[in-house]
Amino acid sequence: MIDGKKVLFSGMQATGTLTLGNYLGALKNWVKLSEEYECFYSVVDLHSITIRQDPAELRKRARNLLTLYIAAGLDPVKNCIYYQSHVSGHAELAWVLNCFTYMGELNRMTQFKDKSAKHADNINAGLFTYPVLMAADILLYQSDVVPVGNDQLQHLEITRDIAQRFNAIYGDVFTIPEPYIGKQGARIMSLQEPTKKMSKSDENPNASVYLMDKPDDIMRKFKRAVTDSEANIAYNDSQLGVRNLLDIYCTCKNITPEEAVKEFDGKGYAELKTAVGETVVSVLSPVQSEFERLQKDKAYIDGIIKANAEKANYIATKTLRKVQKKVGFPERIR
Ligand code: TYM
């Protein structure tokens, strides 16, 4: 609890360009929850270097992502929006937690398996212990709730296991976090292969809608979206492409699949695709223009970065000192 409010933590990687999946699965929920909780929204740049990055590009992307959090509607005064690398407590706590995490547990992580298959020439130790750093992110702020898309659930489970293991030895040090998965949009699929999640790293540019895509590109991508030959707008497991389009539509409009299916009764796939494309354009356009406006205001963004890094450090240090004391590190002499 901070000032009588429960704590929320979440983060995104500044790797690649954000997709509609990131927006509908995470960012949109962040905005919804931001009034209710004391929120920490991090640009997780430490996580990004588990894959080789161009330094200038990473810096630029990190700043763009931080700006985008604000453009999407997060108030940077009420919410702590900051760079993970500006708070050294993340790495320090991750080290301690590494010593309370088993190789066997990390070996079971599907994201590690996927990423090591994709980057076979760079299976570094950071990629392997990535979930421990994520646990440190969450536990450092004594978070109650962590809004994420479905793909991060396994990492949330390991975070809870690590916290419970630590608490069982040292007493109630960490709050045990709960995942928050939105009813809709928790798993937006590729527009080209609806069995795969929409991903920043997809090589097919038509597979993902990016947050900064121009209206024409968005419309074109939806028009080319893979559907099926059923010619029937229904929400079921055998029509994954159509279901994904309906999911996107419902999440944007905050309606249920039943309502959407009713709306498209008697209509064809072309109409569905146009309607989904137009809806997405109308959701993303205001975010894009706000992003462009904010990007030009360097002093304002710099001020946010400075103030929030201080706030995050202050809260993080409290947990870190408690942990250091519990495990037996010598006290600091002031
Ligand atoms: P990242 O950067 O891959 O994704 C950011 C958020 O977007 C969600 N997401 C999706 N949701 C629905 N459909 C999709 N197709 C889709 N693709 C991505 C993700 O679930 C995530 O919520 N390891 C994390 C970042 C992280 C983090 C944390 C998150 C680091 N520390 C602590 C929460 C708490 C990641 O790489 O997310």
Side-chain angles (χ1 to χ4, degrees):
M1 289 279 209
I2 299 177
D3 295 337
K5 273 186 167 177
K6 285 192 169 181
V7 178
L8 178 155
F9 181 94
S10 205
M12 282 196 196
Q13 290 205 58
T15 327
T17 318
L18 285 206
T19 69
L20 185 63
N22 297 126
Y23 182 75
L24 297 180
L27 203 45
K28 191 169 180 276
N29 290 329
W30 296 7
V31 176
K32 195 174 87 187
L33 297 169
S34 67
E35 292 292 323
E36 196 183 328
Y37 292 90
E38 183 72 28
C39 302
F40 294 84
Y41 294 117
S42 189
V43 172
V44 294
D45 44 1
L46 299 183
H47 280 94
S48 293
I49 63 162
T50 51
I51 290 165
R52 206 64 77 223
Q53 302 289 337
D54 172 68
E57 192 60 27
L58 177 60
R59 227 182 319 274
K60 193 172 110 196
R61 286 196 165 140
R63 188 169 174 110
N64 283 349
L65 183 55
L66 187 134
T67 308
L68 197 60
Y69 284 0
I70 306 171
L74 294 172
D75 179 339
V77 176
K78 287 195 198 141
N79 302 284
C80 190
I81 294 174
Y82 73 100
Y83 295 127
Q84 187 187 28
S85 61
H86 285 191
V87 181
S88 60
H90 288 259
E92 292 180 73
L93 181 60
W95 172 254
V96 175
L97 298 181
N98 264 318
C99 303
F100 292 84
T101 308
Y102 298 112
M103 303 281 285
E105 287 178 298
L106 293 174
N107 257 327
R108 284 198 290 275
M109 296 291 117
T110 51
Q111 201 166 77
F112 171 68
K113 289 184 203 160
D114 290 350
K115 286 197 181 170
S116 35
K118 243 188 194 165
H119 304 274
D121 55 337
N122 182 21
I123 307 177
N124 59 72
L127 198 60
F128 189 61
T129 59
Y130 180 114
V132 185
L133 179 58
M134 200 164 142
D137 300 340
I138 296 166
L139 301 178
L140 201 50
Y141 299 91
Q142 304 290 355
S143 312
D144 295 282
V145 65
V146 184
V148 282
N150 246 331
D151 60 325
Q152 295 299 322
L153 260 188
Q154 202 184 25
H155 291 161
L156 253 293
E157 275 157 25
I158 196 174
T159 299
R160 288 166 57 88
D161 291 343
I162 298 169
Q164 273 156 352
R165 184 171 307 141
F166 195 93
N167 283 358
I169 305 172
Y170 299 106
D172 272 345
V173 177
F174 295 123
T175 303
I176 309 297
E178 295 285 342
Y180 176 97
I181 307 273
K183 275 201 202 81
Q184 279 157 356
R187 195 166 174 82
I188 301 296
M189 310 309 277
S190 152
L191 297 185
Q192 291 300 312
E193 284 175 79
T195 48
K196 263 176 46 184
K197 77 163 184 179
M198 187 182 282
S199 157
K200 288 179 240 183
S201 53
D202 205 308
E203 270 146 32
N204 182 345
N206 288 323
S208 307
V209 170
Y210 297 108
L211 243 57
M212 289 298 145
D213 275 351
K214 300 247 164 8
D216 285 354
D217 293 326
I218 297 176
M219 294 306 293
R220 183 178 39 81
K221 288 180 184 181
F222 279 110
K223 281 188 182 142
R224 289 193 186 166
V226 167
T227 47
D228 51 58
S229 51
E230 304 262 330
N232 171 37
I233 299 178
Y235 190 84
N236 61 47
D237 289 349
S238 57
Q239 291 178 267
L240 291 179
V242 173
R243 193 177 78 175
N244 190 38
L245 292 174
L246 289 170
D247 267 333
I248 294 172
Y249 188 72
C250 292
T251 316
C252 288
K253 295 209 127 184
N254 296 318
I255 61 170
T256 63
E258 294 72 38
E259 288 170 317
V261 168
K262 221 168 170 187
E263 201 179 315
F264 290 105
D265 188 29
K267 295 194 174 143
Y269 289 167
E271 279 163 290
L272 171 68
K273 290 176 178 183
T274 305
V276 180
E278 282 170 355
T279 306
V280 169
V281 169
S282 72
V283 167
L284 296 187
S285 288
V287 178
Q288 294 177 353
S289 22
E290 183 61 0
F291 173 80
E292 271 151 34
R293 187 187 72 77
L294 285 166
Q295 210 186 18
K296 291 185 196 120
D297 200 343
K298 187 171 180 307
Y300 171 72
I301 298 291
D302 284 349
I304 301 290
I305 291 172
K306 185 166 185 288
N308 281 335
E310 280 165 17
K311 179 174 169 191
N313 265 299
Y314 175 76
I315 307 283
T317 305
K318 280 197 196 174
T319 303
L320 190 64
R321 294 289 174 263
K322 198 166 161 188
V323 167
Q324 289 169 332
K325 192 170 169 194
K326 290 283 184 187
V327 298
F329 295 163
E331 239 177 274
R332 281 155 205 259
I333 314 288
R334 276 179 233 263

